Amino acid sequence: MSTTAELLKGAAELFPGEVVTQAHVRHFDLPLAASESGSAAGGRFALITLDNGHDHTKPTTLGPQSLANIDAAIDQVEKEAADGDIVGVGVTGKPFIFAVGADLKGVELLKRHEDALAIGKGGHDVLKRLSKLAVPSFAYYNGASMGGGVEIGLHCSYRTVSAALPAFSLPEVFLGLVPGWGGCTLLPNLIGADKAVSVIIENSLNQNKQLKGAQVHELGIADALFEGADFLEQSLIWTASVLKGEIAVERPVIDRGDAWDQAVAKGRFIADGKVHGAAPAAYRALDIIAAARNGDLQQGFDAEDQALADLIMGGELRSGIYAFNLVQKRGKRPAGAPDKSLARPVTKVGVVGAGLMASQLALLFLRRLEVPVVLTDIDQERVDKGVGYVHAEIDKLLGKGRINQDKANRLKGLVSGVLDKAEGFADADFVIEAVFEEMGVKQKVFAEVEAVAPAHAILATNTSSLSVSEMASKLKHPERVVGFHFFNPVAILPLLEIVRGEQTDEASLATAFGVARKLKKTAVLVKDAPAFVVNRILTRFMGEIQNVIDEGTPVDVAEKAVEPLGLPMSPLVLLELVGPAIGLHVSETLNGAFPERFTVSPNLKAVVEAGKRGFYVYDSGKPELDPEVAALLKQGDTVLTEEQVRARVLDAVAQEIGLMLDEGVVAEAQDIDLCLITGAGWPFHLGGITPYLDREGVSQRVNGKPFLEAGVASVPA
């Protein structure tokens, strides 16, 4: 049997680039408990502070060398506790950060199951020592706490949390792992299976939802909540009271009967709804939670080790890490973006149109840039409605306490609406149009704006599929036109496709990227090609689904065929969200550009002409085929199985992505994945789409080669 030190030494050798966290031990006399007076101190106390030597912008992580440092700190305090030199041990973090979990950069490098097993076992061996000290142990969650950071505290006897803590989670299932250093076993035994399933499964699969400090306390994960300003001081006073027996921490009796089974069943229902059995992490976590009801912690830890090792060596986790890195790194440093220094300042924004999309854009520019925003439209009623929408949304933010009255008044004062473009845009630096998706209309709008806007102003279009170059072709200065394609709902979906027209210059492009950064959007540089990235791929995907329905496959079979991808919604529910008329328009645009691959479904046309909002009705609360739509459908007699439909759809998508990369629509396959994750909500466990197509052998079958090199989103060779 390897010792913990040997396990961690071996793991550290595999990961030479670790940002190492130190575990500093300091000693002091505890402050007097609240009721005491006189000179007697509350006892000698050891505090371990986790710190990687960087500020809060580089959060503390736990790689093998970091765990070894924590192990060494525990060696020291364990001896002091056994010798009676200290009355307790605390663990806290550097300012704003407790610890944000295992260092995923190290996980990416692992190639063997036994090395992955060592990571799980090493973490358990170190952290469980906190529960076996001769004195009580305390975790003080002072700042961001995730994954292994949360688990450090779960091994302690007591926990306090800061009311200012912004983010607390066990995000492992979101990435394709399980909380593997005690989370799956300890949390349900602390707060009950139902609450634990909410934190480990539901929050994780809900786009990695974070808890705030007060919620951590409310759930019973922390025993006490203190304000951020003097959090550690108050935690230490509370600690002294606990050690003196003045405060008795009461924890609820855990229901280990039917409630436990019901909680696990709820977790399976949530996982089925989110990933449809397509990714194993949630189910492995639920198996461990189910087994944890007997309270046998070591059995649970062993199961966590095994699950962790299996998942680390699986494709979903590698795809999850790849997706995480795309969003966190590539998304913040867009490929092909011009030098930032070329960007011009934007001190006023114009919005052409005052409909729902235009109003959402006006609100976003207003909130993020905090500069004057002016809307125009063809009549006063529309202008007033657009400005009214923005005001109402600001009032909602005020009502929720997200902004104060002064800020609300200031923002309302910055937004206005006028009918005359010359009056509205004469001093605007950035004008974006969000009018009807028709080339002639957009060209006319741009001609009117160019006549009145300053010479330096950027003219941006929110078109979803039309040519930016053609839109700019009749202008005197086409070089300042740029595609600025948002995704609906604008406030939620992070993607912004920035489209470079044939004549767009570097300064205009740099300004567009600068604005995107201030809007906190994930910007991807896209070539001016029909429907750009997301809509082109989704239209090919949806088009193939519609083709098989038109040919004779039942609607429910076609829909179920792609469930194993674990997409956020089924294709026809997505069509309803987008709007059948818009879906039809984009398919017609792409059919015009690539008639050999993109079809226009006669059934979709019939649905649009009948004025239907989608294929389904929801009378029973679940989607069911609308009888009126069923009566409209004209189908052939070719009926495919789910497997045949899935193969056909994936082959079509792989072909389209291959052609887009050949055309240079984006720089690399990574940008395709980044677009699908941030613009269409495709799952992290797929890595977007290309890792999944590689893993399933589709890329090789269709294009003769994988999209990504081995090890990029898979286990290294």
Side-chain angles (χ1 to χ4, degrees), residues 24-353:
H24 305 291
V25 182
R26 61 192 169 110
H27 299 85
F28 46 80
D29 290 329
L30 279 174
L32 292 175
S35 67
E36 289 187 292
S37 59
S39 59
R44 193 88 175 137
F45 191 75
L47 182 67
I48 300 170
T49 303
L50 307 175
D51 191 344
N52 61 4
H54 297 269
D55 68 14
H56 66 278
T57 59
K58 197 169 210 128
T60 303
T61 51
L62 305 170
Q65 186 55 55
S66 305
L67 283 173
N69 290 342
I70 296 169
D71 200 38
I74 296 173
D75 282 343
Q76 180 184 337
V77 298
E78 184 179 62
K79 182 175 185 312
E80 292 168 352
D83 292 347
D85 295 338
I86 54 175
V87 294
V89 173
V91 185
T92 193
K94 67 184 184 181
F96 310 110
I97 307 287
F98 183 79
V100 297
D103 193 324
L104 292 175
K105 292 194 292 297
V107 172
E108 286 177 84
L109 302 172
L110 298 176
K111 299 180 183 180
R112 300 184 312 161
H113 192 274
E114 55 263 43
D115 294 331
L117 200 60
I119 291 288
K121 192 161 171 8
H124 276 124
D125 287 353
V126 173
L127 301 189
K128 71 186 180 188
R129 297 179 68 195
L130 289 166
S131 65
K132 294 191 165 79
L133 297 171
V135 295
S137 53
F138 297 77
Y140 307 128
Y141 291 127
N142 64 302
S145 311
M146 295 171 206
V150 168
E151 289 167 309
I152 288 173
L154 294 180
H155 284 275
C156 292
S157 320
Y158 303 97
R159 288 154 294 282
T160 67
V161 66
S162 166
L165 181 146
F168 182 105
S169 64
L170 288 169
E172 288 83 353
V173 166
F174 176 67
L175 291 170
L177 279 173
V178 298
W181 287 344
C184 289
T185 304
L186 294 171
L187 193 61
N189 278 293
L190 175 68
I191 62 172
D194 188 61
K195 289 177 180 175
V197 163
S198 291
V199 175
I200 294 170
I201 306 296
E202 189 170 15
N203 289 357
S204 209
L205 290 179
N206 189 15
Q207 291 299 307
N208 191 20
K209 182 183 171 188
Q210 301 292 320
L211 298 169
K212 300 274 195 286
Q215 295 168 300
V216 175
H217 180 238
E218 203 177 302
L219 282 165
I221 299 171
D223 303 307
L225 174 75
F226 298 111
E227 288 304 318
D230 57 352
F231 169 70
L232 190 56
E233 184 185 340
Q234 291 302 320
S235 292
L236 292 170
I237 292 170
W238 179 85
T239 297
S241 296
V242 170
L243 291 172
K244 292 278 185 188
E246 295 183 353
I247 292 177
V249 173
E250 291 180 11
R251 301 214 174 103
V253 176
I254 302 299
D255 187 334
R256 298 181 185 278
D258 288 346
W260 199 288
D261 293 336
Q262 286 165 11
V264 173
K266 177 186 93 168
R268 292 193 192 284
F269 178 77
I270 291 165
D272 287 344
K274 291 286 188 180
V275 300
H276 308 281
Y283 303 97
R284 292 296 292 268
L286 286 163
D287 288 344
I288 300 166
I289 294 169
R293 76 189 290 172
N294 64 10
D296 184 337
L297 300 185
Q298 191 52 52
Q299 179 192 333
F301 296 164
D302 292 342
E304 287 175 356
D305 288 343
Q306 201 54 54
L308 207 57
D310 292 348
L311 292 166
I312 284 173
M313 300 314 292
E316 284 81 8
L317 170 69
R318 304 305 173 123
S319 295
I321 295 174
Y322 163 81
F324 184 79
N325 288 338
L326 287 182
V327 172
Q328 295 299 319
K329 294 175 185 171
R330 194 179 185 92
K332 292 180 170 62
R333 289 188 287 278
D339 191 308
K340 290 180 192 174
S341 65
L342 297 172
R344 292 192 286 261
V346 171
T347 59
K348 184 178 179 182
V349 173
V351 182
V352 186

Side-chain angles (χ1 to χ4, degrees), residues 352 421 425 431 444-454 459 480:
V352 186
K421 291 186 182 70
F425 301 154
V431 180
K444 179 172 179 287
V445 160
F446 268 165
E448 291 169 359
V449 172
E450 187 181 46
V452 297
L459 308 186
R480 57 177 171 155

Side-chain angles (χ1 to χ4, degrees), residues 536-545 562 565 646-660 672 676 682 688-690 692-693 698-699 702-703 707:
R536 178 161 165 187
I537 292 169
L538 288 186
T539 304
R540 186 78 198 273
F541 175 80
M542 304 275 284
E544 216 50 57
I545 297 277
V562 292
L565 274 73
R646 187 160 58 250
R648 193 161 140 186
V649 169
L650 292 177
D651 283 6
V653 170
Q655 183 195 31
E656 203 58 40
I657 292 171
L659 291 166
M660 288 166 71
I672 300 273
L676 285 175
W682 281 42
I689 183 63
T690 67
Y692 177 78
L693 294 172
V698 181
S699 327
V702 174
N703 300 323
F707 287 112

